[in-house]
Amino acid sequence: MAADASWWRDAVIYEIYIRSFGDGDGDGLGDIAGIRSRLPYLRDLGVDAIWITPWYPSPMADGGYDVADYCDIDPRFGTLADAQELIDEVHAQGMRIIVDLVPNHTSDHHPWFQEALAAGPGSPERARYLFRDGTSSGGPPNNWRSVFGGPAWTRVADGQWYLHLFDAHQPDLDWQHRDVRAEFESILRFWLDRGVDGFRVDVAHGLIKHADLPDIPTDHEDMLEPPDRTDHPHWDRPEVHEIYRSWRAIAESYGPDRVFVAEAWVAKPERLACYVRPDELHTAFNFDFLRCSWHADALRAVVDCTTRALDAVGAPPTWVLSNHDITRHVTRYGRASTRGGGSQHESHGPVDVALGRRRARAALLLMLALPGSAYLYQGEELGLEELEDLPIEVLQDPTWERSGRTARGRDGCRVPLPWSGFRPPFGFSPGDTPPWLPQPQRWVSLTAELQKREPDSMLALYHRALGVRRNHSALGEGGWSWLPSATGVLALHRTPGLVCIVNISGGPTALPRHERVLLSSEPLPDGALPADSAAWLEVADHHVPQRAAATSFPTDGVPGRW
Ligand code: NOJ
């Protein structure tokens, strides 16, 4: 593992959705043993770190984001000893490991919530959560909605209601309560003591609620969208920042290389920048990039606005195209409208998967050429598409039921990976046990084993791109500027000596002057860059023309909410 304290400023971090990465014990569900045996794959791929989604004991009402014990491992995933061995092994293989911290809510099976139920109204046990009496007409305390659909309040037997911004099995903690703060500080130390390199902070924008829990004005466009103001009663409230200042101090006490990445869905980059001020969280996912359409001006604007806002606080940007909550980008980019990040709440159009894959190849070269760090979501290196036609009997995302079976939810991006072989489970499990979500037979042509042997596969492109990125001094942190380019074309100059050119113009475009092609997402017939492709070119910096002016505001990001 590199001893570099600022590794996170330009790391490539691979998200492992633990239920679907690899199954070691043959029960059809991913686990720690399945991750451990595949670490060489990740090392060879060339990632710097892994982020593992929650592995704690959980009833799995929300795939593990309903935590019953923050300091143990769910027996379906392994043991605490297995986790320790994994942490050590990741380090031994030269990588880092980030674990998922879920502070906004616990599981309803968490001892604190069980004690709160038993203790009754007005008890100190209830004060750790947000229990309230209903209205005089028998309704919930306010009009807040759950992100997964339906009201954000559930009534218990004695008549009180508790708040859950997500599923009813995920009661929200009251972060004004001392016990809550102290408990999470000790959870941080628990995992830092075991050697983890950092934490991904779930719902970092949601921990603090307005003390009066007021109604959200019903004329608000969408009650769940984070507004560009500081007065939303439960999203992006300024009081969250003092929590992160105390966490930063704890991480620093273990060394400058222990880091946080915030999952904060906020209205614009300037608000995201507040989470990554020098004494707060180190980095935050940049969802504007993921939500951006496949359009040169829109992408350029997102890059400009993000870098400008984060530069102002000295934090590196992050770039991400897919994760376990969002329609996979192969599918998004294969639709007529590529805008919006593809929350599964939206209606879908037909998908041209081949076009989506072609664009995904180009998007990878853009993302990895941008300054800062990048997140990969497991399976994107195989070019997996969203499975939008899973049978409804297998759907597990709480969104499906809570939306009254109108929104299928996020299972389509969580299907277990195809590793090898010719039929499901495609090497995901050691035996023939069907995986917890069914894989389609057509993934036979996308297995890692097969793609390793194909020089033009998606996996081969990821491998090459990560290799160049690791070894080229212009990539990662450092200087960059846009070069003048034709309409629909992005040309990013990284110093020293590299230009990334992305063609979204609809037709071929000429390559700028260069010494040689380092990498391209498609073959380059006659030295031109075809539509929906990208290339990294080695250039002599003194031949590079003057920079183009930066753009002002992103035009088409749409807010998200996970
Ligand atoms: C964000 C996580 O990424 C998502 O999977 C989860 O459902 C919600 N937070 C609630 O924890």
Side-chain angles (χ1 to χ4, degrees), residues 311-332:
D311 277 354
V313 293
T318 69
W319 311 100
V320 58
L321 291 166
S322 279
N323 68 30
H324 66 279
D325 290 330
I326 297 293
T327 302
R328 283 187 177 276
H329 61 278
V330 159
T331 297
R332 297 197 322 259

Side-chain angles (χ1 to χ4, degrees), residues 231-286:
D231 61 355
H232 191 281
H234 62 69
W235 287 153
D236 196 18
R237 294 190 62 77
E239 303 93 320
V240 293
H241 297 289
E242 74 188 59
I243 300 172
Y244 302 135
R245 283 192 277 273
S246 76
W247 290 7
R248 177 68 177 250
I250 292 173
E252 295 282 342
S253 73
Y254 284 78
D257 56 348
R258 310 288 187 107
V259 297
F260 295 100
V261 55
E263 185 219 23
W265 292 92
V266 293
K268 60 179 188 183
E270 286 73 13
R271 300 200 57 81
L272 195 66
C274 296
Y275 289 74
V276 291
R277 288 175 287 198
D279 59 349
E280 296 197 34
L281 305 177
H282 302 70
T283 56
F285 293 115
N286 169 13

Side-chain angles (χ1 to χ4, degrees), residues 13 29 98 107 110 118 121 187 260 296 338 367 406 516:
I13 301 170
L29 186 73
I98 289 175
S107 159
H110 190 285
I187 293 165
F260 295 100
T338 55
M367 177 167 80
T406 58
R516 71 187 173 107

